[in-house]
Amino acid sequence: MFVPRSLKIKRHANGDGKSCVAKIIKSDPEDLQLDKSRDAPVDALVTEAATPPDRHSSESCPFPSPGGQLAEVHSVSPEQGVKDSHPSEEPVKSFSKTQRWAEPGEPVCVVCGRYGEYICDKTDEDVCSLECKAKHLLQVKEKEEKSKLSNPQKANSEPESPLNASYVYKEHPFILNLQEDQIENLKQQLGILVQGQEVTRPIIDFEHCSFPEVLNHNLKKSGYEVPTPIQMQMIPVGLLGRDILASADTGSGKTAAFLLPVIMRALFESKTPSALILTPTRELAIQIERQAKELMSGLPRMKTVLLVGGLPLPPQLYRLQQQVKVIIATPGRLLDIIKQSSVELCGIKIVVVDEADTMLKMGFQQQVLDILENIPNDYQTILVSATIPSSIEQLASQLLHNPVRIITGEKNLPCANVRQIILWVEDPAKKKKLFEILNDKKLFKPPVLVFVDCKLGADLLSEAVQKITGLKSISIHSEKSQIERKNILKVGRVGRLGQNGTAITFINNNSKRLFWDIAKRVKPTGSILPPQLLNSPYLHDQKRKEQQKDKQTQNDLVTGANLMDIIRKHDKSNSQK
Ligand code: AMP
């Protein structure tokens, strides 16, 4: 008796090119144990390797329905909906409880939250087992029946097309009717700075974008009642297809600010994949994918794939073949996949480079450029960076066409929700000072993140904190495995939207290189700086050098006032040659 291939689609490739389909046989002890609570006997599932891929059966497969009875799932021919005869050697899971929990970045079962190893062919949702597929289909059916009952007229009419055929962003009448000075006032009050030609006005409400109802619903469900400043300006500009250079920090709502234009673009593109998001780290990619899935839930044919290092490649390659619309990737892994010709990027119409400054600091610039070489030229580019140093300006001039620059909040200032304390502490006293802080109820509020210079330092300090203060402590760095990182990250995230926190920085002459940077950024927040820092000759030297550099840059700028001087100087030097 064969499990129909349409019943579940395994994500993993076994790599040998052969196919297998699942076969029901009697009795895996664990599965039977679960069955004790039920009246009817239940078969366990294992796979039978190398069964011809074109084989399909008209037999039915019994498995428990949520109510404890047996449900019947009938097999279908490939034409009826089998999307893939994907090879696999893993046994197909019958029950949710025999499935493992998902690793970060792996798909999650929509019913029970375990590893979503299969894609339900009927709904494209992730499920972990036959049990959850049955529950999921039942839920979908119940939802459909409920909506028929609540709206019988609709049920009898033609099935409604959920989306229009295309989407064009138009300024909402409410925004159109605002006076120019009202808009300027709004931008000023919210700290939105915009540069560029013919920039559209910001939105004030998500409703001003005329998104599909499902997307509006998902925004509300995610708790996004009103847009943040960066979203107000970036979303309409992005929806209009303009290239963007945005200066936005983590915690500002920047992810949704680029995701919404990405989603709307990908939704109406027929080619797959049609959107690419590049991030410097896998953790960030995982967070972006999670947010994307929340916002895309219920939108037709919108699938994401995570292509990141540190996680196995075969499931990522398999997922890539499932007509995904949005790729979220780190540069190294994506480039490897491009090199082995496992991805076709000619349908990409929108590219986001997130945390571009970190990307450059990590040395990914060439990899990003190599990736973009593989995309036909007519795509929209959004570059997001916490800071915009000259290296980012340079990259932007290479990648962006007639861009809109959007800056929110004071550039280069620390987040307003974080109280900054700068302490002068000599190296030998640092540990003691840290323990004092951790023992101080006024300053210590878990979780606490301690940044140190080196990996070994992190391990040793973590051990010392645990030993001396008795507080649970754990270190994280690039030599930790993905499993360890995942467990560590369960401590949660800090500095999230609207939450307050305290940042304590220890400095001494060993960090003299950073004196002016620290003073320049922290002083405007009103924090008191240590006298050793304020009186340091290094600080004054760095300040002077920066001022000289600024003056030089200003002299180099061509303005109406200095234009004639520059021409005269140029003429003079030419005649002297
Ligand atoms: P980000 O800056 O993209 O890392 O977002 C920071 C956090 O704010 C995330 O947890 C988002 O889910 C949340 N967020 C983003 N936009 C909004 C919004 N408009 N309203 C409420 N929360 C939001």
Side-chain angles (χ1 to χ4, degrees):
M1 187 189 273
F2 292 98
V3 175
R5 281 181 296 155
S6 64
L7 194 64
K8 71 274 157 252
I9 297 166
K10 294 281 290 176
R11 292 171 187 282
H12 295 281
N14 62 7
D16 63 5
K18 290 180 191 156
S19 291
C20 65
V21 289
K23 180 189 178 191
I24 298 180
I25 59 151
K26 275 269 182 221
S27 69
D28 173 285
E30 235 201 296
D31 283 351
L32 285 178
Q33 204 181 346
L34 179 133
D35 189 46
K36 276 181 196 156
S37 62
R38 305 174 190 279
D39 302 334
V42 174
D43 291 325
L45 297 161
V46 294
T47 55
E48 183 188 65
T51 308
D54 57 345
R55 193 164 170 184
H56 47 88
S57 156
S58 61
E59 288 176 276
S60 59
C61 144
F63 63 91
S65 71
Q69 306 109 340
L70 289 181
E72 292 263 296
V73 175
H74 293 273
S75 64
V76 290
S77 69
E79 302 76 49
Q80 283 172 289
V82 175
K83 284 199 274 181
D84 191 272
S85 58
H86 187 71
S88 170
E89 285 166 346
E90 294 279 309
V92 177
K93 309 284 182 301
S94 307
F95 301 112
S96 159
K97 74 162 199 171
T98 56
Q99 183 58 271
R100 63 176 173 82
W101 293 100
E103 295 293 330
E106 286 184 341
V108 172
C109 172
V110 285
V111 178
C112 70
R114 285 166 198 264
Y115 171 40
E117 196 174 2
Y118 315 103
I119 300 167
C120 174
D121 56 314
K122 294 213 173 75
T123 61
D124 269 351
E125 294 287 7
D126 300 321
V127 289
C128 73
S129 58
L130 294 174
E131 180 189 2
C132 280
K133 175 175 176 177
K135 286 183 182 171
H136 167 56
L137 289 179
L138 248 152
Q139 284 169 356
V140 171
K141 209 168 165 205
E142 275 170 13
K143 223 169 153 186
E144 277 171 11
E145 310 243 295
K146 254 190 214 157
S147 94
K148 271 186 207 162
L149 279 177
S150 64
N151 198 344
Q153 262 180 344
K154 215 172 167 182
N156 293 331
S157 64
E158 283 283 294
E160 184 194 37
S161 147
L163 294 172
N164 295 326
S166 64
Y167 170 86
V168 179
Y169 173 77
K170 284 201 189 95
E171 271 179 358
H172 189 276
F174 177 83
I175 301 290
L176 264 177
N177 287 334
L178 293 174
Q179 303 292 328
E180 198 50 44
D181 61 336
Q182 288 177 305
I183 293 284
E184 283 314 311
N185 210 351
L186 175 85
K187 288 205 280 201
Q188 209 179 1
Q189 285 193 23
L190 293 170
I192 304 173
L193 202 76
V194 183
Q195 290 163 355
Q197 290 166 359
E198 294 174 46
V199 182
T200 189
R201 293 174 163 195
I203 52 158
I204 297 171
D205 198 305
F206 288 117
E207 300 277 333
H208 294 154
C209 296
S210 309
F211 287 141
E213 256 329 291
V214 180
L215 187 49
N216 282 334
H217 170 80
N218 292 344
L219 283 165
K220 290 230 161 65
K221 210 168 137 202
S222 300
Y224 300 5
E225 291 296 331
V226 286
T228 63
I230 190 74
Q231 291 167 354
M232 287 181 176
Q233 188 64 73
M234 224 170 123
I235 291 170
V237 173
L239 288 173
L240 280 172
R242 295 280 302 263
D243 281 2
I244 299 176
L245 172 59
S247 165
D249 222 338
T250 302
S252 62
K254 61 157 171 127
T255 314
F258 65 71
L259 273 179
L260 286 161
V262 161
I263 292 170
M264 290 306 287
R265 186 70 191 237
L267 192 58
F268 295 99
E269 287 291 333
S270 51
K271 279 199 182 161
T272 56
S274 45
L276 169 65
I277 300 170
L278 290 171
T279 79
T281 64
R282 60 172 167 258
E283 273 78 16
L284 184 60
I286 291 167
Q287 284 162 21
I288 293 173
E289 199 206 26
R290 194 177 305 140
Q291 219 167 316
K293 283 190 157 192
E294 269 176 32
L295 294 176
M296 288 176 184
S297 167
L299 288 171
R301 296 176 299 282
M302 290 292 281
K303 276 191 226 157
T304 57
V305 64
L306 204 56
L307 304 178
V308 295
L311 291 172
L313 180 63
Q316 294 181 6
L317 288 181
Y318 175 62
R319 176 86 183 176
L320 193 52
Q321 289 154 17
Q322 308 306 306
Q323 313 224 304
V324 291
K325 278 284 183 72
V326 183
I327 296 179
I328 299 150
T330 46
R333 174 59 63 94
L334 179 56
L335 212 51
D336 287 347
I337 293 174
I338 291 173
K339 280 182 189 153
Q340 63 179 66
S341 303
S342 297
V343 66
E344 186 52 79
L345 299 179
C346 64
I348 298 287
K349 291 286 179 240
I350 180 165
V351 174
V352 177
V353 182
D354 191 19
E355 301 210 347
D357 49 354
T358 313
M359 206 76 112
L360 298 196
K361 268 186 217 151
M362 290 171 79
F364 289 152
Q365 172 155 0
Q366 195 49 49
Q367 292 186 354
V368 171
L369 296 175
D370 290 349
I371 289 168
L372 299 183
E373 287 273 295
N374 290 273
I375 307 174
N377 255 335
D378 61 340
Y379 59 90
Q380 174 189 3
T381 314
I382 300 179
L383 214 65
V384 185
S385 187
T387 55
I388 310 206
S390 55
S391 51
I392 292 290
E393 299 274 8
Q394 217 179 326
L395 185 68
S397 67
Q398 245 175 305
L399 298 184
L400 308 181
H401 173 70
N402 188 19
V404 177
R405 291 173 66 119
I406 304 170
I407 298 163
T408 51
E410 279 288 338
K411 206 177 161 195
N412 288 341
L413 276 188
C415 173
N417 293 334
V418 179
R419 181 164 59 121
Q420 298 288 334
I421 301 175
I422 310 285
L423 300 177
W424 189 275
V425 189
E426 298 299 345
D427 279 352
K430 276 184 178 172
K431 251 193 213 162
K432 194 166 160 255
K433 191 77 196 165
L434 175 67
F435 300 149
E436 271 172 34
I437 290 169
L438 295 177
N439 283 325
D440 184 338
K441 292 274 173 298
K442 267 195 264 131
L443 287 170
F444 176 69
K445 209 168 130 225
V448 168
L449 268 176
V450 182
F451 291 97
V452 294
D453 277 349
C454 65
K455 294 169 196 172
L456 183 63
D459 290 337
L460 293 176
L461 187 65
S462 169
E463 274 171 34
V465 166
Q466 187 134 345
K467 219 167 170 180
I468 292 170
T469 63
L471 294 165
K472 190 165 178 268
S473 164
I474 206 147
S475 61
I476 182 167
H477 50 68
S478 60
E479 270 165 33
K480 298 268 172 183
S481 70
Q482 188 58 29
I483 303 264
E484 285 174 292
R485 287 170 177 229
K486 179 196 127 191
N487 290 332
I488 293 163
L489 286 179
K490 281 190 187 149
V491 296
R493 302 176 68 187
V494 289
R496 314 309 301 147
L497 202 76
Q499 285 178 18
N500 292 317
T502 305
I504 305 173
T505 307
F506 294 170
I507 55 164
N508 59 41
N509 275 331
N510 287 333
S511 37
K512 59 180 182 250
R513 271 186 318 113
L514 303 171
F515 281 2
W516 174 233
D517 271 345
I518 294 173
K520 187 172 58 176
R521 289 172 199 203
V522 175
K523 223 173 163 190
T525 67
S527 295
I528 298 165
L529 296 172
Q532 296 96 322
L533 172 69
L534 288 174
N535 298 326
S536 165
Y538 300 115
L539 179 129
H540 294 289
D541 190 38
Q542 288 160 11
K543 185 177 172 182
R544 209 176 32 247
K545 278 188 182 145
E546 187 175 285
Q547 282 169 347
Q548 272 169 2
K549 213 167 135 196
D550 283 350
K551 222 167 151 186
Q552 184 59 41
T553 316
Q554 285 201 345
N555 287 343
D556 290 346
L557 279 180
V558 181
T559 63
N562 69 8
L563 186 64
M564 287 317 291
D565 283 346
I566 292 171
I567 294 172
R568 261 185 231 119
K569 240 194 235 165
H570 180 79
D571 271 357
K572 227 187 219 169
S573 63
N574 268 353
S575 62
Q576 277 169 4
K577 273 181 195 167

